[in-house]
Amino acid sequence: MSEENSDPEQSTSELGGQLDYSPVSWREYFDQMEDVSVGPADSRDVFRIYKAGGDGPLLVLLHGGGHSALSWAVFTTAIASRVTCRVLAMDLRGHGASLVNQSDDFTTQTMSCDVANVIRACYSETPPPIVLIGHGVGGAIAVHAASNMLIPCTVGLVAIDVVEGSAMEALHGIQKFLRERPKTFKSMEHAIEWSVKSGQIQNLESARVSMVGQIKRCEAVAVAVAVVDPVEPAGPVTDELVQRNEEFSDQSFVNDKEHTASEGGVGGEQGEYRWRIDLSKSEKYWDGWFRGTSNLFLTCNLPKLLLLAGIDRLDRDLTIGQMQGQFMMQVLPPCGHAVQEDKPDKVANAVAAFLLRHKFAEARRETRSSDTMRSEDQK
């Protein structure tokens, strides 16, 4: 379903000449959805996961702060069309539909162990070869999990737009971004439209499936907050996104009483839809997520790929490591921080090339055929 186009108005269908902002089901991209329970019987944590594919290596996809497993939906379709692989995308602690105990524990150790526990619950002690792929905060978790060898069958590591230097510099802008964005929306359609027009997600197809994992009806949020009180750091927010968010202030997207609603308040009268996570409460974790990540990435003894939204993201340690050939790196065409959502086909091309180069996966037969035809045309 994925179409590579930076213009969201050309990346999805129109209804009566207007863009379609209606939500799309996860079923269009994944084969199945499960709620996986881990931990002691009397204090189980439940993680929502989505799966696709039945053969090849297992790509474990970890989303960025504030997003959910559904941020990988369009990418999943794209990568599955290029190589034979399996996909497991999970809602991290405090995100999406996952419900956990000890909701105030968001250390890298706890979050990394969550990933290992989910994999163990799904595949027992004999999982297939695993490639950890993480975006933003999810990238930091992937790096920590791989460096600490929490998942012994891990064969490769892919980090997407997570660089210690730029992440640390961007932390000051996160609270400003969170204050400026709407607190509530009239409908899911309004939330999807806002996400595209504000620049949070620059691909309408991605936004239509992804925002479902970020926004929830207030009545349902009231229950979730009572159980979980979700707290989770946001990924690095670029100055460009903050600026675009300030410029886009059309109040038609929010209810009249939106500005009087408290940050943590719930209730249908204050706005029909609200963010699933109050990211502002997680500030004390932000520094710990990214400090030292570049060094951990470099010293991790696995084949590695780093995908960046811009060359300006690269810090000194990674620049030296890249010059020494310690990892593969690719800078993608201009896009926002939600790289795999903005440019799912470009990310899939880079990941597929990485998997094929290290012989982790085999190319799809139709992909090989098209490559052969392309080569013959060029002769």
Side-chain angles (χ1 to χ4, degrees):
M1 294 185 66
S2 172
E3 295 182 26
E4 184 56 38
N5 197 314
S6 60
D7 182 359
E9 296 190 6
Q10 299 179 20
S11 62
T12 190
S13 60
E14 296 187 7
L15 295 177
Q18 297 182 344
L19 292 176
D20 183 5
Y21 293 109
S22 62
V24 175
S25 170
W26 62 268
R27 293 179 177 84
E28 297 292 322
Y29 303 92
F30 298 99
D31 296 335
Q32 61 185 114
M33 176 186 72
E34 298 178 23
D35 287 328
V36 178
S37 298
V38 302
D42 59 343
S43 58
R44 292 258 175 184
D45 290 334
V46 181
F47 293 92
R48 173 67 54 85
I49 69 169
Y50 302 84
K51 291 181 176 180
D55 297 299
L58 177 65
L59 310 185
V60 177
L61 309 180
L62 308 177
H63 61 79
H67 292 256
S68 77
L70 295 177
S71 68
W72 297 100
V74 184
F75 166 83
T76 293
T77 298
I79 192 66
S81 70
R82 289 159 171 78
V83 297
T84 300
C85 64
R86 285 170 271 195
V87 162
L88 186 156
M90 64 178 283
D91 285 348
L92 297 175
R93 173 174 291 251
H95 288 78
S98 291
L99 296 175
V100 301
N101 297 285
Q102 297 182 351
S103 59
D104 59 343
D105 182 3
F106 286 85
T107 63
T108 54
Q109 180 180 1
T110 297
M111 300 289 278
S112 300
C113 287
D114 287 342
V115 178
N117 290 337
V118 167
I119 293 174
R120 190 176 301 111
C122 292
Y123 298 95
S124 187
E125 300 299 326
T126 56
I130 288 175
V131 178
L132 293 174
I133 303 178
H135 164 247
V137 173
I141 296 171
V143 170
H144 280 271
S147 298
N148 294 317
M149 296 181 288
L150 297 179
I151 308 168
C153 48
T154 302
V155 297
L157 173 64
V158 180
I160 302 178
D161 214 36
V162 52
V163 173
E164 178 182 351
S166 59
M168 299 302 291
E169 293 176 2
L171 291 181
H172 72 277
I174 295 179
Q175 288 287 13
K176 178 178 173 60
F177 165 73
L178 295 177
R179 287 194 302 269
E180 295 290 340
R181 73 179 184 177
K183 303 297 187 298
T184 61
F185 297 92
K186 293 179 179 179
S187 66
M188 183 66 71
E189 287 79 1
H190 282 97
I192 293 170
E193 184 175 358
W194 172 85
S195 71
V196 174
K197 291 187 175 180
S198 68
Q200 176 174 297
I201 303 173
Q202 298 178 15
N203 181 314
L204 180 51
E205 182 185 3
S206 294
R208 292 176 67 195
V209 62
S210 176
M211 285 300 290
V212 177
Q214 297 186 54
I215 299 295
K216 202 171 187 179
R217 279 188 180 274
C218 289
E219 293 83 358
V221 170
V223 176
V225 170
V227 176
V228 184
D229 185 22
V231 178
E232 169 60 22
V237 179
T238 63
D239 293 336
E240 177 186 2
L241 179 53
V242 173
Q243 181 179 3
R244 291 185 66 179
N245 188 57
E246 290 175 339
E247 291 174 353
F248 184 71
S249 57
D250 185 353
Q251 293 305 304
S252 64
F253 290 86
V254 299
N255 281 11
D256 293 338
K257 297 183 180 181
E258 187 275 321
H259 284 292
T260 65
S262 63
E263 177 70 27
V266 293
E269 65 186 24
Q270 293 179 342
E272 195 170 358
Y273 286 82
R274 185 178 295 273
W275 299 100
R276 291 173 180 259
I277 309 166
D278 184 355
L279 295 173
S280 64
K281 293 182 179 179
S282 63
E283 185 171 7
K284 64 181 180 180
Y285 298 102
W286 295 349
D287 185 89
W289 276 107
F290 301 106
R291 191 172 298 281
T293 301
S294 291
N295 185 58
L296 285 177
F297 179 79
L298 290 171
T299 56
C300 182
N301 190 26
L302 289 172
K304 301 181 287 289
L305 170 65
L306 178 64
L307 298 179
L308 300 176
I311 193 63
D312 60 310
R313 305 285 210 277
L314 210 58
D315 59 27
R316 181 178 181 276
D317 290 342
L318 289 177
T319 299
I320 295 174
Q322 197 275 329
M323 293 174 65
Q324 295 174 342
Q326 296 184 36
F327 58 91
M328 293 175 62
M329 187 187 81
Q330 183 170 336
V331 179
L332 300 172
C335 58
H337 176 58
V339 181
Q340 78 277 12
E341 299 198 56
D342 294 349
K343 301 288 183 181
D345 284 318
K346 295 293 185 183
V347 173
N349 286 340
V351 171
F354 173 74
L355 298 175
L356 295 173
R357 175 177 179 178
H358 294 285
K359 299 182 179 179
F360 295 147
E362 296 183 358
R364 288 287 186 186
R365 184 171 303 173
E366 54 268 31
T367 302
R368 290 198 296 265
S369 299
S370 62
D371 289 343
T372 300
M373 293 175 61
R374 194 178 300 112
S375 298
E376 291 177 352
D377 291 341
Q378 294 174 349
K379 291 180 179 179

mmCIF file with all atom_site columns, all heavy atoms in Angstrom, residues 199-216:
data_model
loop_
_atom_site.group_PDB
_atom_site.id
_atom_site.type_symbol
_atom_site.label_atom_id
_atom_site.label_alt_id
_atom_site.label_comp_id
_atom_site.label_asym_id
_atom_site.label_entity_id
_atom_site.label_seq_id
_atom_site.pdbx_PDB_ins_code
_atom_site.Cartn_x
_atom_site.Cartn_y
_atom_site.Cartn_z
_atom_site.occupancy
_atom_site.B_iso_or_equiv
_atom_site.pdbx_formal_charge
_atom_site.auth_seq_id
_atom_site.auth_comp_id
_atom_site.auth_asym_id
_atom_site.auth_atom_id
_atom_site.pdbx_PDB_model_num
ATOM 1   N N   . GLY A 1 199 ? 3.003  18.718 10.527 1.00 0.00 ? 199 GLY A N   1
ATOM 2   C CA  . GLY A 1 199 ? 4.314  18.169 10.208 1.00 0.00 ? 199 GLY A CA  1
ATOM 3   C C   . GLY A 1 199 ? 4.754  17.051 11.124 1.00 0.00 ? 199 GLY A C   1
ATOM 4   O O   . GLY A 1 199 ? 5.852  16.523 10.975 1.00 0.00 ? 199 GLY A O   1
ATOM 5   N N   . GLN A 1 200 ? 3.932  16.653 12.093 1.00 0.00 ? 200 GLN A N   1
ATOM 6   C CA  . GLN A 1 200 ? 4.326  15.555 12.969 1.00 0.00 ? 200 GLN A CA  1
ATOM 7   C C   . GLN A 1 200 ? 4.526  14.282 12.160 1.00 0.00 ? 200 GLN A C   1
ATOM 8   O O   . GLN A 1 200 ? 5.482  13.531 12.388 1.00 0.00 ? 200 GLN A O   1
ATOM 9   C CB  . GLN A 1 200 ? 3.277  15.311 14.058 1.00 0.00 ? 200 GLN A CB  1
ATOM 10  C CG  . GLN A 1 200 ? 3.609  14.103 14.940 1.00 0.00 ? 200 GLN A CG  1
ATOM 11  C CD  . GLN A 1 200 ? 2.665  13.932 16.103 1.00 0.00 ? 200 GLN A CD  1
ATOM 12  O OE1 . GLN A 1 200 ? 2.576  14.780 16.965 1.00 0.00 ? 200 GLN A OE1 1
ATOM 13  N NE2 . GLN A 1 200 ? 1.946  12.818 16.141 1.00 0.00 ? 200 GLN A NE2 1
ATOM 14  N N   . ILE A 1 201 ? 3.611  14.004 11.252 1.00 0.00 ? 201 ILE A N   1
ATOM 15  C CA  . ILE A 1 201 ? 3.740  12.893 10.308 1.00 0.00 ? 201 ILE A CA  1
ATOM 16  C C   . ILE A 1 201 ? 3.492  13.475 8.921  1.00 0.00 ? 201 ILE A C   1
ATOM 17  O O   . ILE A 1 201 ? 2.435  14.041 8.676  1.00 0.00 ? 201 ILE A O   1
ATOM 18  C CB  . ILE A 1 201 ? 2.733  11.763 10.594 1.00 0.00 ? 201 ILE A CB  1
ATOM 19  C CG1 . ILE A 1 201 ? 2.888  11.244 12.023 1.00 0.00 ? 201 ILE A CG1 1
ATOM 20  C CG2 . ILE A 1 201 ? 2.913  10.622 9.598  1.00 0.00 ? 201 ILE A CG2 1
ATOM 21  C CD1 . ILE A 1 201 ? 1.825  10.241 12.431 1.00 0.00 ? 201 ILE A CD1 1
ATOM 22  N N   . GLN A 1 202 ? 4.453  13.330 8.035  1.00 0.00 ? 202 GLN A N   1
ATOM 23  C CA  . GLN A 1 202 ? 4.364  13.987 6.737  1.00 0.00 ? 202 GLN A CA  1
ATOM 24  C C   . GLN A 1 202 ? 3.783  13.101 5.635  1.00 0.00 ? 202 GLN A C   1
ATOM 25  O O   . GLN A 1 202 ? 3.765  13.487 4.475  1.00 0.00 ? 202 GLN A O   1
ATOM 26  C CB  . GLN A 1 202 ? 5.754  14.494 6.333  1.00 0.00 ? 202 GLN A CB  1
ATOM 27  C CG  . GLN A 1 202 ? 6.313  15.536 7.297  1.00 0.00 ? 202 GLN A CG  1
ATOM 28  C CD  . GLN A 1 202 ? 7.705  15.997 6.932  1.00 0.00 ? 202 GLN A CD  1
ATOM 29  O OE1 . GLN A 1 202 ? 8.182  15.764 5.818  1.00 0.00 ? 202 GLN A OE1 1
ATOM 30  N NE2 . GLN A 1 202 ? 8.368  16.663 7.866  1.00 0.00 ? 202 GLN A NE2 1
ATOM 31  N N   . ASN A 1 203 ? 3.337  11.912 6.001  1.00 0.00 ? 203 ASN A N   1
ATOM 32  C CA  . ASN A 1 203 ? 2.784  10.978 5.041  1.00 0.00 ? 203 ASN A CA  1
ATOM 33  C C   . ASN A 1 203 ? 1.365  10.639 5.501  1.00 0.00 ? 203 ASN A C   1
ATOM 34  O O   . ASN A 1 203 ? 1.175  10.087 6.582  1.00 0.00 ? 203 ASN A O   1
ATOM 35  C CB  . ASN A 1 203 ? 3.669  9.720  4.987  1.00 0.00 ? 203 ASN A CB  1
ATOM 36  C CG  . ASN A 1 203 ? 3.179  8.694  3.979  1.00 0.00 ? 203 ASN A CG  1
ATOM 37  O OD1 . ASN A 1 203 ? 1.991  8.398  3.923  1.00 0.00 ? 203 ASN A OD1 1
ATOM 38  N ND2 . ASN A 1 203 ? 4.099  8.131  3.221  1.00 0.00 ? 203 ASN A ND2 1
ATOM 39  N N   . LEU A 1 204 ? 0.372  10.982 4.715  1.00 0.00 ? 204 LEU A N   1
ATOM 40  C CA  . LEU A 1 204 ? -1.021 10.813 5.122  1.00 0.00 ? 204 LEU A CA  1
ATOM 41  C C   . LEU A 1 204 ? -1.377 9.347  5.321  1.00 0.00 ? 204 LEU A C   1
ATOM 42  O O   . LEU A 1 204 ? -2.117 9.000  6.238  1.00 0.00 ? 204 LEU A O   1
ATOM 43  C CB  . LEU A 1 204 ? -1.951 11.460 4.098  1.00 0.00 ? 204 LEU A CB  1
ATOM 44  C CG  . LEU A 1 204 ? -3.463 11.362 4.376  1.00 0.00 ? 204 LEU A CG  1
ATOM 45  C CD1 . LEU A 1 204 ? -3.790 11.824 5.794  1.00 0.00 ? 204 LEU A CD1 1
ATOM 46  C CD2 . LEU A 1 204 ? -4.237 12.192 3.358  1.00 0.00 ? 204 LEU A CD2 1
ATOM 47  N N   . GLU A 1 205 ? -0.852 8.465  4.472  1.00 0.00 ? 205 GLU A N   1
ATOM 48  C CA  . GLU A 1 205 ? -1.152 7.037  4.648  1.00 0.00 ? 205 GLU A CA  1
ATOM 49  C C   . GLU A 1 205 ? -0.677 6.563  6.018  1.00 0.00 ? 205 GLU A C   1
ATOM 50  O O   . GLU A 1 205 ? -1.393 5.844  6.730  1.00 0.00 ? 205 GLU A O   1
ATOM 51  C CB  . GLU A 1 205 ? -0.494 6.201  3.550  1.00 0.00 ? 205 GLU A CB  1
ATOM 52  C CG  . GLU A 1 205 ? -0.820 4.715  3.681  1.00 0.00 ? 205 GLU A CG  1
ATOM 53  C CD  . GLU A 1 205 ? -0.100 3.834  2.690  1.00 0.00 ? 205 GLU A CD  1
ATOM 54  O OE1 . GLU A 1 205 ? 0.715  4.351  1.900  1.00 0.00 ? 205 GLU A OE1 1
ATOM 55  O OE2 . GLU A 1 205 ? -0.364 2.617  2.707  1.00 0.00 ? 205 GLU A OE2 1
ATOM 56  N N   . SER A 1 206 ? 0.524  6.962  6.393  1.00 0.00 ? 206 SER A N   1
ATOM 57  C CA  . SER A 1 206 ? 1.057  6.585  7.700  1.00 0.00 ? 206 SER A CA  1
ATOM 58  C C   . SER A 1 206 ? 0.209  7.174  8.818  1.00 0.00 ? 206 SER A C   1
ATOM 59  O O   . SER A 1 206 ? -0.111 6.501  9.811  1.00 0.00 ? 206 SER A O   1
ATOM 60  C CB  . SER A 1 206 ? 2.500  7.065  7.847  1.00 0.00 ? 206 SER A CB  1
ATOM 61  O OG  . SER A 1 206 ? 3.362  6.408  6.955  1.00 0.00 ? 206 SER A OG  1
ATOM 62  N N   . ALA A 1 207 ? -0.163 8.442  8.680  1.00 0.00 ? 207 ALA A N   1
ATOM 63  C CA  . ALA A 1 207 ? -0.931 9.103  9.735  1.00 0.00 ? 207 ALA A CA  1
ATOM 64  C C   . ALA A 1 207 ? -2.275 8.426  9.967  1.00 0.00 ? 207 ALA A C   1
ATOM 65  O O   . ALA A 1 207 ? -2.745 8.330  11.111 1.00 0.00 ? 207 ALA A O   1
ATOM 66  C CB  . ALA A 1 207 ? -1.137 10.576 9.375  1.00 0.00 ? 207 ALA A CB  1
ATOM 67  N N   . ARG A 1 208 ? -2.906 7.950  8.927  1.00 0.00 ? 208 ARG A N   1
ATOM 68  C CA  . ARG A 1 208 ? -4.238 7.362  9.047  1.00 0.00 ? 208 ARG A CA  1
ATOM 69  C C   . ARG A 1 208 ? -4.240 6.078  9.873  1.00 0.00 ? 208 ARG A C   1
ATOM 70  O O   . ARG A 1 208 ? -5.243 5.750  10.525 1.00 0.00 ? 208 ARG A O   1
ATOM 71  C CB  . ARG A 1 208 ? -4.828 7.098  7.660  1.00 0.00 ? 208 ARG A CB  1
ATOM 72  C CG  . ARG A 1 208 ? -5.155 8.367  6.877  1.00 0.00 ? 208 ARG A CG  1
ATOM 73  C CD  . ARG A 1 208 ? -5.635 8.035  5.479  1.00 0.00 ? 208 ARG A CD  1
ATOM 74  N NE  . ARG A 1 208 ? -6.927 7.349  5.518  1.00 0.00 ? 208 ARG A NE  1
ATOM 75  C CZ  . ARG A 1 208 ? -7.444 6.701  4.482  1.00 0.00 ? 208 ARG A CZ  1
ATOM 76  N NH1 . ARG A 1 208 ? -6.764 6.620  3.342  1.00 0.00 ? 208 ARG A NH1 1
ATOM 77  N NH2 . ARG A 1 208 ? -8.615 6.106  4.585  1.00 0.00 ? 208 ARG A NH2 1
ATOM 78  N N   . VAL A 1 209 ? -3.146 5.342  9.861  1.00 0.00 ? 209 VAL A N   1
ATOM 79  C CA  . VAL A 1 209 ? -3.069 4.131  10.681 1.00 0.00 ? 209 VAL A CA  1
ATOM 80  C C   . VAL A 1 209 ? -2.343 4.393  11.988 1.00 0.00 ? 209 VAL A C   1
ATOM 81  O O   . VAL A 1 209 ? -2.676 3.829  13.036 1.00 0.00 ? 209 VAL A O   1
ATOM 82  C CB  . VAL A 1 209 ? -2.394 2.977  9.897  1.00 0.00 ? 209 VAL A CB  1
ATOM 83  C CG1 . VAL A 1 209 ? -0.972 3.323  9.509  1.00 0.00 ? 209 VAL A CG1 1
ATOM 84  C CG2 . VAL A 1 209 ? -2.421 1.689  10.704 1.00 0.00 ? 209 VAL A CG2 1
ATOM 85  N N   . SER A 1 210 ? -1.362 5.290  11.984 1.00 0.00 ? 210 SER A N   1
ATOM 86  C CA  . SER A 1 210 ? -0.513 5.521  13.161 1.00 0.00 ? 210 SER A CA  1
ATOM 87  C C   . SER A 1 210 ? -1.206 6.300  14.271 1.00 0.00 ? 210 SER A C   1
ATOM 88  O O   . SER A 1 210 ? -1.036 5.997  15.459 1.00 0.00 ? 210 SER A O   1
ATOM 89  C CB  . SER A 1 210 ? 0.757  6.263  12.744 1.00 0.00 ? 210 SER A CB  1
ATOM 90  O OG  . SER A 1 210 ? 1.543  6.589  13.861 1.00 0.00 ? 210 SER A OG  1
ATOM 91  N N   . MET A 1 211 ? -1.987 7.314  13.929 1.00 0.00 ? 211 MET A N   1
ATOM 92  C CA  . MET A 1 211 ? -2.600 8.164  14.957 1.00 0.00 ? 211 MET A CA  1
ATOM 93  C C   . MET A 1 211 ? -3.584 7.398  15.840 1.00 0.00 ? 211 MET A C   1
ATOM 94  O O   . MET A 1 211 ? -3.864 7.804  16.968 1.00 0.00 ? 211 MET A O   1
ATOM 95  C CB  . MET A 1 211 ? -3.287 9.368  14.317 1.00 0.00 ? 211 MET A CB  1
ATOM 96  C CG  . MET A 1 211 ? -2.322 10.441 13.823 1.00 0.00 ? 211 MET A CG  1
ATOM 97  S SD  . MET A 1 211 ? -1.288 11.136 15.135 1.00 0.00 ? 211 MET A SD  1
ATOM 98  C CE  . MET A 1 211 ? -2.519 12.054 16.076 1.00 0.00 ? 211 MET A CE  1
ATOM 99  N N   . VAL A 1 212 ? -4.083 6.278  15.334 1.00 0.00 ? 212 VAL A N   1
ATOM 100 C CA  . VAL A 1 212 ? -4.987 5.454  16.139 1.00 0.00 ? 212 VAL A CA  1
ATOM 101 C C   . VAL A 1 212 ? -4.281 4.975  17.403 1.00 0.00 ? 212 VAL A C   1
ATOM 102 O O   . VAL A 1 212 ? -4.920 4.784  18.447 1.00 0.00 ? 212 VAL A O   1
ATOM 103 C CB  . VAL A 1 212 ? -5.495 4.250  15.319 1.00 0.00 ? 212 VAL A CB  1
ATOM 104 C CG1 . VAL A 1 212 ? -6.367 3.342  16.165 1.00 0.00 ? 212 VAL A CG1 1
ATOM 105 C CG2 . VAL A 1 212 ? -6.281 4.741  14.103 1.00 0.00 ? 212 VAL A CG2 1
ATOM 106 N N   . GLY A 1 213 ? -2.964 4.796  17.327 1.00 0.00 ? 213 GLY A N   1
ATOM 107 C CA  . GLY A 1 213 ? -2.204 4.353  18.481 1.00 0.00 ? 213 GLY A CA  1
ATOM 108 C C   . GLY A 1 213 ? -1.760 5.475  19.395 1.00 0.00 ? 213 GLY A C   1
ATOM 109 O O   . GLY A 1 213 ? -1.211 5.222  20.470 1.00 0.00 ? 213 GLY A O   1
ATOM 110 N N   . GLN A 1 214 ? -2.010 6.731  18.992 1.00 0.00 ? 214 GLN A N   1
ATOM 111 C CA  . GLN A 1 214 ? -1.596 7.876  19.801 1.00 0.00 ? 214 GLN A CA  1
ATOM 112 C C   . GLN A 1 214 ? -2.760 8.590  20.483 1.00 0.00 ? 214 GLN A C   1
ATOM 113 O O   . GLN A 1 214 ? -2.556 9.256  21.499 1.00 0.00 ? 214 GLN A O   1
ATOM 114 C CB  . GLN A 1 214 ? -0.854 8.893  18.922 1.00 0.00 ? 214 GLN A CB  1
ATOM 115 C CG  . GLN A 1 214 ? 0.425  8.376  18.306 1.00 0.00 ? 214 GLN A CG  1
ATOM 116 C CD  . GLN A 1 214 ? 1.169  9.486  17.580 1.00 0.00 ? 214 GLN A CD  1
ATOM 117 O OE1 . GLN A 1 214 ? 1.457  10.537 18.146 1.00 0.00 ? 214 GLN A OE1 1
ATOM 118 N NE2 . GLN A 1 214 ? 1.490  9.259  16.317 1.00 0.00 ? 214 GLN A NE2 1
ATOM 119 N N   . ILE A 1 215 ? -3.951 8.471  19.906 1.00 0.00 ? 215 ILE A N   1
ATOM 120 C CA  . ILE A 1 215 ? -5.127 9.206  20.381 1.00 0.00 ? 215 ILE A CA  1
ATOM 121 C C   . ILE A 1 215 ? -6.191 8.218  20.840 1.00 0.00 ? 215 ILE A C   1
ATOM 122 O O   . ILE A 1 215 ? -6.344 7.152  20.259 1.00 0.00 ? 215 ILE A O   1
ATOM 123 C CB  . ILE A 1 215 ? -5.694 10.090 19.250 1.00 0.00 ? 215 ILE A CB  1
ATOM 124 C CG1 . ILE A 1 215 ? -4.647 11.115 18.820 1.00 0.00 ? 215 ILE A CG1 1
ATOM 125 C CG2 . ILE A 1 215 ? -6.967 10.801 19.694 1.00 0.00 ? 215 ILE A CG2 1
ATOM 126 C CD1 . ILE A 1 215 ? -4.286 12.126 19.895 1.00 0.00 ? 215 ILE A CD1 1
ATOM 127 N N   . LYS A 1 216 ? -6.916 8.593  21.882 1.00 0.00 ? 216 LYS A N   1
ATOM 128 C CA  . LYS A 1 216 ? -7.948 7.703  22.409 1.00 0.00 ? 216 LYS A CA  1
ATOM 129 C C   . LYS A 1 216 ? -9.118 8.524  22.924 1.00 0.00 ? 216 LYS A C   1
ATOM 130 O O   . LYS A 1 216 ? -8.945 9.657  23.371 1.00 0.00 ? 216 LYS A O   1
ATOM 131 C CB  . LYS A 1 216 ? -7.355 6.878  23.553 1.00 0.00 ? 216 LYS A CB  1
ATOM 132 C CG  . LYS A 1 216 ? -8.083 5.593  23.859 1.00 0.00 ? 216 LYS A CG  1
ATOM 133 C CD  . LYS A 1 216 ? -7.268 4.769  24.852 1.00 0.00 ? 216 LYS A CD  1
ATOM 134 C CE  . LYS A 1 216 ? -7.875 3.394  25.046 1.00 0.00 ? 216 LYS A CE  1
ATOM 135 N NZ  . LYS A 1 216 ? -7.061 2.578  25.990 1.00 0.00 ? 216 LYS A NZ  1
#
